[in-house]
Amino acid sequence: MLKPISTPTRELVNLDGVWRFGIDTRLGETPWTARLDTPLEAAVPASYNDLFTDPEIRDHVGWVYYQREVRVPRGWSDERIFVRFDAATHAARVYVDDALVGEHVGGYTPFDVELTDRVAAGGSFRLTVAVSGDLTNETIPPGKIEVGMDGRQKQTYFHDFYNYAGLARSVWLHSIPRISIDDVTVTTDFEGSVGSVDLRVETSDAVDVRVRIADAGGEVVAEASGASSTLSIADVVLWKPGAAYLYDLTIEAVDGDRVLDSYTLPVGVRTVEVRGHEFLINGEPFYFTGFGKHEDSAVRGKGHDDAYMVHDFQLMEWIGANSFRTSHYPYAEDVLEFADRHGIVVIDETAAVGLNMGVVGGMSGKPPFPTFSEQFANDNTRAAHAQHLRELIGRDKNHPSVVMWCIANEPASNEDGAREYFEPLVDLARELDPTRPLTYALVMFATFQNDRIIDLFDVVSLNRYYGWYVATADLPTAERYLQGDIAGWIERTGKPVMMTEYGADTQPGIHSVWDQAWTEEYQRDYLAMNHRVFDRFPQFVGEQVWNFADFATSNGIHRVDGNKKGVFTRDRKPKSAAWALRERWRGLDGRKPGADG
């Protein structure tokens, strides 16, 4: 699915703003058939949960309704017309006037609904969107809904971040020509100073296709014809971590000299490969430094915010980070485009977080029932997971910043049924994109001795909390545990090993001369211990701290105002650990720190 953009043949109208808003229990049975009977209005894009002071809205289980009037531009009479949602968390139903026109399940990937036969150029219509934040064992991510003693429904979920819901990303009305370019797949390579760009273009009708590539100065450097073609770029400038270079690729569907449709997207020429213990970008070993992050800010929740995006990237540059993981869901496409332009490397993750009943069992790791069973992750769950993979890879396959797919966070890969669940998903991901490595983030219960699926993947990505959840405030013991853990994975797999999560909750302003949990000094010393261990292994390829910034979580006695493992506060103020990371990371420039044996 191509992102709506303005081109010589395409137009779009942004529908962000303040929409009428209500929850299903306070509206009629068919609220979309009239103007919503509500005094409330909600901002788009934003999660709705923190906008209002009413707890019934914040904790609502069921459907909420957004509504606004939309006018179609007069010049679109000969065009196909769509409404696009960059995300609706976690499911949506779309109504035009009184009619249901489309539905979508999956809270972090975009979808289009065609309106061509229902609206008229120059006319207006009532757009109503029902959104559900409900999670079950057959959704990605999973959860369950229970009825409390007061008779009200309550949402339970198995991930440690707040289940924000609503229209958290932009909404667009856009047009495309009747004969259109429907999809483009780009793969790149280079040999010496010559770059190659392989294209596969899909069109709505059998028409001629021509393509051209222009450099950053606008000069055309390659041209070709055909829906499948390879363009060569002499004296190619590669896209590199920390040194992004993008070409403009323009695709045109033509009838003789007449351009029927035109679409331009940025292209970065680069290669990604796993070879032995190394992770290679452009044939050179790359060492990840950075974070697991969240789309999270006060009031807005998971609502995309350009100001926060720019500031977060500035903080990553300040601290010396070269990468991040989109934990634990696909981020807004604007974020990936920004990473493309600024040379930040991305591990792109699905929303498959919480596929682990062992976590529900607490630190014992003993699940109340098997994760991979009819009770929890069953065939329908896997089908939802597969669809999420299709939509994620379909959306993000052309971003040079994306170097690896992470298909799940902390699944029960140590349990019976894990291989039967994941092997078809791995096969699907490799079919959809054979060019990028695959990984999954390993929970602490999944060890090098009991994990069932690591051989299916390319990179070992560890989430480990020795010194926090295990050997709390005992760094010497934690160091021994971590040393043995990494050594075991290296010996078992022969694959690159990296840390995708390690961190300690830290309350700003708490200090101690001892190794005391929650202090700023302990977070700094905890990270230093991990780094000592990492540097002993030349097979180790990266460190992504959990987390970039503090974030909102569900209610819990171990969470005081959210998860505090951020090296920045939720409003992006640095803790002491930020300065220590800056000292370590700046100047590494993607190179592995020297091993000390």
Side-chain angles (χ1 to χ4, degrees):
M1 179 189 298
L2 295 176
K3 180 180 179 181
I5 60 172
S6 177
T7 79
T9 59
R10 297 172 177 234
E11 294 181 339
L12 68 164
V13 176
N14 183 259
L15 301 182
D16 294 353
V18 178
W19 296 43
R20 294 187 290 275
F21 179 85
I23 60 177
D24 56 5
T25 54
R26 299 178 183 176
L27 300 170
E29 292 185 2
T30 56
W32 57 88
T33 59
R35 181 184 174 94
L36 290 186
D37 184 14
T38 174
L40 300 177
E41 296 179 289
V44 176
S47 305
Y48 67 79
N49 310 79
D50 291 352
L51 295 180
F52 307 98
T53 58
D54 187 342
E56 187 177 351
I57 297 176
R58 176 176 170 82
D59 301 325
H60 183 65
V61 176
W63 294 89
V64 304
Y65 289 85
Y66 293 80
Q67 190 182 81
R68 62 162 292 166
E69 304 301 318
V70 178
R71 181 166 295 280
V72 182
R74 291 181 297 171
W76 289 11
S77 56
D78 295 326
E79 307 295 303
R80 295 174 66 194
I81 300 169
F82 295 83
V83 61
R84 163 149 171 149
F85 298 86
D86 286 349
T89 309
H90 294 281
R93 297 170 182 164
V94 182
Y95 302 86
V96 167
D97 295 326
D98 295 352
L100 175 67
V101 295
E103 299 181 77
H104 182 261
V105 176
Y108 301 100
T109 45
F111 62 99
D112 274 340
V113 178
E114 185 164 5
L115 308 182
T116 307
D117 296 331
R118 296 186 176 273
V119 300
S124 64
F125 64 93
R126 184 178 64 252
L127 176 62
T128 309
V129 187
V131 182
S132 170
D134 296 0
L135 300 173
T136 73
N137 68 302
E138 295 183 353
T139 62
I140 295 294
K144 64 179 179 178
I145 297 173
E146 301 173 304
V147 177
M149 295 179 65
D150 59 359
R152 293 193 306 171
Q153 290 185 316
K154 181 180 180 180
Q155 175 74 69
T156 300
Y157 44 96
F158 310 115
H159 52 263
D160 185 37
F161 56 94
Y162 190 80
N163 187 40
Y164 283 114
L167 296 178
R169 298 176 189 163
S170 290
V171 183
W172 306 87
L173 190 71
H174 68 102
S175 70
I176 64 173
R178 298 281 177 169
I179 298 176
S180 61
I181 299 161
D182 288 348
D183 196 21
V184 181
T185 302
V186 176
T187 57
T188 65
D189 202 348
F190 69 95
E191 184 172 349
S193 63
V194 179
S196 63
V197 178
D198 291 335
L199 294 179
R200 187 174 71 251
V201 180
E202 298 177 19
T203 56
S204 61
D205 294 79
V207 295
D208 292 333
V209 173
R210 65 190 184 198
V211 295
R212 62 181 181 272
I213 294 178
D215 62 18
E219 181 178 350
V220 175
V221 295
E223 295 180 280
S225 298
S228 296
S229 56
T230 299
L231 294 89
S232 294
I233 303 174
D235 299 318
V236 67
V237 181
L238 299 179
W239 187 97
K240 297 180 180 180
Y245 189 94
L246 296 173
Y247 293 89
D248 279 337
L249 169 66
T250 298
I251 307 104
E252 293 176 332
V254 297
D255 180 10
D257 292 332
R258 186 163 65 101
V259 176
L260 305 174
D261 192 18
S262 175
Y263 194 90
T264 298
L265 74 158
V267 170
V269 179
R270 62 102 182 96
T271 60
V272 176
E273 179 187 1
V274 168
R275 184 189 305 155
H277 291 291
E278 294 182 314
F279 193 99
L280 306 176
I281 298 179
N282 298 333
E284 299 178 356
F286 179 74
Y287 189 81
F288 295 83
T289 59
F291 300 97
K293 292 181 87 273
H294 267 299
E295 291 182 316
D296 176 272
S297 60
V299 180
R300 196 180 276 266
K302 291 203 175 306
H304 176 70
D305 187 306
D306 284 340
Y308 266 104
M309 177 183 70
V310 170
H311 189 56
D312 285 357
F313 273 78
Q314 282 288 296
L315 290 176
M316 285 191 285
E317 180 181 345
W318 172 85
I319 207 170
N322 60 25
S323 65
F324 63 89
R325 176 171 60 120
T326 69
S327 46
H328 298 298
Y329 38 82
Y331 292 176
E333 194 166 6
D334 311 67
V335 176
L336 299 185
E337 292 171 341
F338 203 86
D340 290 342
R341 296 195 297 271
H342 292 271
I344 297 294
V345 170
V346 178
I347 300 173
D348 207 357
E349 185 166 283
T350 74
V353 53
L355 291 170
N356 198 322
M357 283 292 99
V359 174
V360 178
M363 290 309 297
S364 69
K366 296 178 181 178
F369 49 79
T371 298
F372 304 101
S373 63
E374 282 303 312
Q375 294 166 283
F376 194 59
N378 56 33
D379 289 346
N380 292 334
T381 315
R382 188 175 60 205
H385 197 160
Q387 182 59 24
H388 192 100
L389 271 172
R390 292 186 189 96
E391 294 185 11
L392 168 68
I393 294 175
R395 189 195 75 166
D396 294 348
K397 61 189 175 184
N398 295 327
H399 289 287
S401 60
V402 175
V403 301
M404 185 157 55
W405 306 113
C406 183
I407 73 171
N409 180 74
E410 297 191 349
S413 60
N414 56 306
E415 285 190 38
D416 291 340
R419 193 172 190 90
E420 290 78 6
Y421 181 92
F422 277 101
E423 192 163 13
L425 298 176
V426 170
D427 292 343
L428 173 63
R430 294 200 188 280
E431 176 187 346
L432 293 169
D433 179 18
T435 70
R436 288 178 176 88
L438 298 180
T439 193
Y440 62 106
L442 280 134
V443 70
M444 289 190 71
F445 307 139
T447 71
F448 60 85
Q449 296 168 315
N450 66 17
D451 180 86
R452 312 290 183 89
I453 62 173
I454 190 60
D455 60 294
L456 302 174
F457 294 82
D458 303 298
V459 175
V460 180
S461 298
L462 301 177
N463 291 2
R464 293 297 187 261
Y465 292 94
Y466 299 115
W468 188 250
Y469 297 121
V470 176
T472 308
D474 182 357
L475 292 179
T477 298
E479 188 166 347
R480 295 185 184 94
Y481 280 140
L482 181 59
Q483 173 89 18
D485 197 349
I486 293 174
W489 284 105
I490 290 171
E491 182 178 356
R492 173 181 168 178
T493 67
K495 301 175 187 285
V497 178
M498 68 177 294
M499 194 73 83
T500 38
E501 288 186 24
Y502 63 113
D505 282 277
T506 305
Q507 180 64 37
I510 296 182
H511 299 282
S512 178
V513 297
W514 301 293
D515 282 343
Q516 182 174 318
W518 291 91
T519 65
E520 293 195 47
E521 289 79 13
Y522 185 73
Q523 185 184 40
R524 179 198 64 202
D525 294 345
Y526 167 95
L527 295 176
M529 177 277 291
N530 278 265
H531 298 153
R532 285 196 301 272
V533 177
F534 301 165
D535 292 351
R536 293 171 189 151
F537 294 101
Q539 305 91 338
F540 204 78
V541 299
E543 53 198 63
Q544 291 186 334
V545 173
W546 189 258
N547 191 283
F548 172 76
D550 297 343
F551 57 91
T553 63
S554 58
N555 295 328
I557 58 173
H558 66 304
R559 294 285 181 240
V560 182
D561 194 32
N563 190 303
K564 296 300 181 69
K565 291 188 179 71
V567 301
F568 298 98
T569 62
R570 199 181 188 203
D571 61 352
R572 279 44 174 189
K573 301 296 189 299
K575 302 176 188 177
S576 296
W579 297 92
L581 284 171
R582 186 174 193 263
E583 182 177 357
R584 173 174 171 82
W585 287 348
R586 287 181 68 88
L588 286 181
D589 194 26
R591 296 186 295 270
K592 176 74 176 76
D596 63 12

